Amino acid sequence: MVKIRVVQSGFRTAWTHKVRALFMILSIMIGIAALTIIISLGKGTEEKIMAQVRKFFSPKTVMVVSGGGRMEPNRPVSFSGNLKLDDVEEIIRQIGDITDFDAILPVPGKEAQANGNNTLVDIVGHTPAAEIVHNLVVTEGRFFGEAENRTLARVAVITPRARERLFGTSNPIAQTIRIDNVPFQVIGVIGPRGMDPHGTDKDNEILIPLNTVLRRVANVDYVMLAKFLVHDERRTIPAAEQIKSILRERHSINPSEENDFQVITPVRVKELIDNATRTFNLYLPLLAFVALLVGSIVVVNLMLISVNERVKEIGLRKAVGARSNDIAVQFLIEASSVTIVSGAAGIGIGILLLTQIAKYMNVPFTISWSAVLICSVVSIIIGIAAGYFPAKKAAGLSPIESLR
Amino acid sequence: MISISNLSKTYKKENAQPVFAVQNITLHIERGDFTAIVGPSGSGKSTLMNILGLLDVPDSGSYQFEGKEVSLMTIDELADIRNSNIGFVFQQFHLLPKISAKENVELPLIYSNRTNIGGMAENVLAQVGLKERMHHTSAELSGGQQQRVAIARALVNDPDILLADEPTGNLDSESGTEIINIFKQLHSSGKTIILITHDMNIASHAQKILKIVDGKLLNHTAVS
């Protein structure tokens, strides 16, 4: 049976050797703080990415991108230019439950002039349903309609940065923008959207009806991508499979050949994000864990040195009636109380640093409570493991040998 | 109280001749005795004290403590007897340097089964005249005061026997006399005292002197 007074004595003795306790705390605290920061930061980063992705990719979206390959790091997509509007229309015809769609052709880096100002903008051709598909918020004027798309109207909806660069503070509605010397009338302004997951500034775009871009700006007959909204998010996977078979048939792709397009579902996006955040969620915590392991080895060593330094004390305690078990408990309590305090300090410092790092990295401040739980459990395990061998050694010492 | 017969202890080291530390020792100590065990350095008196104090075990012979055979006891039972029945006083005091005199005195209480231990350390420190200095560490005490703290530690659990190994060996004569006077007072209050020393002057304060030479007990001398 463990005597409560032995436990109390262990807690007191842990702090009588202040320098040793300080180094033990430092060696564990740093690892725990790193683990808390990294796991929480990983969670915050993932949440930030997910929030961005949700803005551009709702759970009911299926996206088709022209070109083969896979959208993964170091595997560039080859934009093949063979996704035609006919393909998009056929997909809508065959899959009955598509509620809205947008076919998109971006033309990056075009010079736009208005009001005596000129700037480089990205021209993006959209179908009228883009307003719904992308949850666009029209802050002034209106979005273009089906008639304007069909008649190749030279109308433009501008974004906040493009507006500021071309018009400053003056009212842009009904003003003219010249793109490659072709005049477009501004009919609306949309609210800020920030960066997309690829790092494109969505606030420096000029949105133009798709057919107008195809014929008057880019002079091509294909789109880069199409987004489809299905009525139920459970329908995204079957719809994606259907789209694949429709496009393979229309593009005459042999069974042995790879797709010349990609179909991206919310599930696939989640996979891509998981891949991208693996460094944060797996490798960095692993590194912090190694640091923690090194810290625990330091604690074991300090405790073993402590046993060697305190041989006479152990002998004396045994002479005055301590059982071997009492000595073992004392050393276990000493090690674990120091590591528990180290763990708590590490979590505290980790959270404190996290507030600053999250601010600096522009990541939402998120405390991963699973990280806190893991760190607490790890500190207790380290304490017991670090105390076990020294405690066993101390308990096994003969009182008479120790007192000599 | 203590009954030893034909007790022997030999230390064996590799590539060295065995050392017969104590050989065939037979002795009896009654409750309330004040016994001195005297002998030159290396005579085996410390080995005998360690065996008497249940810190070491003999190779052969019988040792009965309060009528119970020690060789049949478990390590934990021996620890419990050391805690409640025996108080040790060492030549080097063996005080823990980082804690106060009071905390040193309280050490045996940590391992005791007593429930109400409040004030016990203060009482024994008062008994040895050190209550005023109970919050001082050993570095802040003189040699004589340190040994008095060690005696208080030995007394705190109210043991039957006090075992003192050269308790005045590291002290000047004045402090040594103080310590011996404390032992005499404790004896008169009924404690059993076993004093190990090489100094006949110190031993002369005991009721009974046992001489040990080369691990063998020579004779009993009764001191009036």
Side-chain angles (χ1 to χ4, degrees), chain B residues 117-184:
Chain B
I117 59 168
M120 289 179 77
E122 286 96 324
N123 289 344
V124 283
L125 276 165
Q127 209 179 326
V128 297
L130 279 178
K131 195 174 180 186
E132 305 304 314
R133 313 213 67 181
M134 67 180 179
H135 297 301
H136 292 244
T137 61
S138 53
E140 295 163 336
L141 301 171
S142 69
Q145 288 171 329
Q146 287 186 52
Q147 194 59 302
R148 280 194 273 159
V149 173
I151 292 172
R153 181 180 63 199
L155 290 173
V156 75
N157 254 339
D158 193 22
D160 304 313
I161 301 174
L162 273 186
L163 267 172
D165 186 6
E166 302 276 12
T168 58
N170 277 355
L171 302 177
D172 56 49
S173 59
E174 194 183 335
S175 303
T177 308
E178 275 178 24
I179 298 300
I180 288 300
N181 286 337
I182 291 173
F183 281 122
K184 284 163 85 172

Side-chain angles (χ1 to χ4, degrees), chain A residues 53-371:
Chain A
V53 167
R54 268 194 294 274
K55 239 180 354 184
F56 294 97
F57 209 97
S58 87
K60 291 180 181 177
T61 307
V62 180
M63 188 165 84
V64 180
V65 183
S66 164
R70 284 163 70 86
M71 281 179 94
E72 276 179 22
N74 305 323
R75 295 189 68 170
V77 177
S78 54
F79 176 42
S80 62
N82 54 6
L83 184 64
K84 313 283 177 169
L85 266 181
D86 293 348
D87 291 333
V88 176
E89 279 160 13
E90 185 60 21
I91 289 168
I92 294 163
R93 199 184 61 76
Q94 286 200 32
I95 304 173
D97 56 353
I98 288 173
T99 53
D100 284 294
F101 82 98
D102 182 26
I104 302 162
L105 182 70
V107 186
K110 283 281 181 187
E111 193 173 358
Q113 294 170 313
N115 227 13
N117 301 315
N118 59 350
T119 184
L120 280 181
V121 293
D122 295 336
I123 305 298
V124 187
H126 282 280
T127 52
E131 191 180 355
I132 299 157
V133 174
H134 302 284
N135 288 320
L136 302 179
V137 179
V138 178
T139 54
E140 289 169 64
R142 62 176 179 85
F143 204 73
F144 45 76
E146 191 46 57
E148 285 158 326
N149 188 33
R150 198 174 50 248
T151 58
L152 316 184
R154 291 195 300 266
V155 290
V157 173
I158 60 174
T159 51
R161 211 180 319 280
R163 176 210 167 133
E164 187 197 325
R165 285 175 182 169
L166 292 172
F167 299 102
T169 53
S170 63
N171 182 7
I173 303 297
Q175 301 273 349
T176 301
I177 298 175
R178 300 186 83 84
I179 299 164
D180 283 351
N181 272 332
V182 180
F184 287 82
Q185 190 189 40
V186 179
I187 58 164
V189 181
I190 58 168
R193 289 178 294 163
M195 296 279 179
D196 77 0
H198 302 285
T200 307
D201 183 0
K202 303 298 283 180
D203 292 336
N204 191 36
E205 288 182 348
I206 292 179
L207 282 60
I208 288 173
L210 178 68
N211 286 334
T212 312
V213 171
L214 291 176
R215 310 277 164 77
R216 293 188 192 273
V217 180
N219 200 24
V220 294
D221 65 345
Y222 53 78
V223 294
M224 189 179 172
L225 58 102
K227 270 187 175 182
F228 302 96
L229 291 187
V230 289
H231 81 279
D232 183 344
E233 54 190 81
R234 284 170 301 185
R235 277 284 299 145
T236 53
I237 302 285
E241 290 309 311
Q242 262 181 291
I243 290 170
K244 276 181 201 169
S245 54
I246 294 167
L247 288 181
R248 283 186 72 88
E249 194 188 324
R250 286 180 63 83
H251 293 187
S252 308
I253 298 168
N254 292 328
S256 59
E257 287 174 342
E258 281 195 7
N259 294 340
D260 61 356
F261 59 88
Q262 297 167 70
V263 179
I264 299 165
T265 58
V267 174
R268 180 75 191 124
V269 169
K270 180 79 174 70
E271 279 172 18
L272 290 171
I273 291 165
D274 287 347
N275 282 346
T277 54
R278 190 174 292 155
T279 310
F280 253 124
N281 292 339
L282 184 67
Y283 301 129
L284 285 179
L286 206 66
L287 213 62
F289 207 76
V290 170
L292 201 56
L293 202 68
V294 173
S296 6
I297 293 168
V298 172
V299 173
V300 176
N301 268 319
L302 287 172
M303 284 304 290
L304 280 172
I305 291 168
S306 167
V307 170
N308 289 338
E309 277 176 351
R310 292 161 64 196
V311 166
K312 274 198 162 50
E313 176 190 329
I314 294 162
L316 176 76
R317 285 179 186 272
K318 286 197 161 183
V320 299
R323 295 176 170 197
S324 297
N325 185 41
D326 294 332
I327 299 291
V329 167
Q330 166 157 354
F331 275 83
L332 268 180
I333 295 289
E334 280 185 32
S336 43
S337 62
V338 171
T339 49
I340 288 168
V341 168
S342 316
I347 291 167
I349 287 175
I351 289 172
L352 210 67
L353 289 175
L354 192 63
T355 55
Q356 299 307 312
I357 295 171
K359 212 182 284 174
Y360 178 74
M361 286 179 65
N362 197 22
V363 168
F365 170 68
T366 313
I367 298 172
S368 166
W369 292 109
S370 60

Side-chain angles (χ1 to χ4, degrees), chain B residues 26-41:
Chain B
T26 297
L27 69 87
H28 302 279
I29 292 170
E30 299 301 329
R31 189 176 294 274
D33 278 359
F34 187 170
T35 308
I37 298 172
V38 192
S41 180

Side-chain angles (χ1 to χ4, degrees), chain A residues 3 5-6 9 12 16-17 312-313 316-324 326 330 399-400 403-404, chain B residues 11 50 55 76 79-80 82-83 88 90 94 96 98-99 107-115 117 153:
Chain A
K3 294 185 184 101
R5 286 200 285 260
V6 175
S9 166
R12 272 199 306 273
T16 50
H17 301 81
K312 274 198 162 50
E313 176 190 329
L316 176 76
R317 285 179 186 272
K318 286 197 161 183
V320 299
R323 295 176 170 197
S324 297
D326 294 332
Q330 166 157 354
I400 195 68
L403 282 171
R404 251 179 210 142
Chain B
Y11 293 110
N50 291 335
L55 291 170
D76 286 348
D80 290 347
R82 285 199 300 272
N83 181 250
F88 290 95
F90 302 98
H94 287 317
L96 303 186
K98 288 184 185 285
I99 57 176
L107 272 185
L109 297 175
I110 293 172
Y111 310 105
S112 139
N113 290 322
R114 288 174 188 272
T115 47
I117 59 168
R153 181 180 63 199

Side-chain angles (χ1 to χ4, degrees), chain B residues 1-2 29-35 66 85-87 155 159-164 183 186-195 207:
Chain B
M1 185 170 207
I2 285 178
I29 292 170
E30 299 301 329
R31 189 176 294 274
D33 278 359
F34 187 170
T35 308
E66 300 271 32
N85 296 77
I86 302 173
L155 290 173
D160 304 313
I161 301 174
L162 273 186
L163 267 172
F183 281 122
L186 290 169
H187 173 236
S188 59
S189 69
K191 295 280 181 210
T192 308
I193 293 171
I194 302 172
L195 184 68
Q207 282 178 318

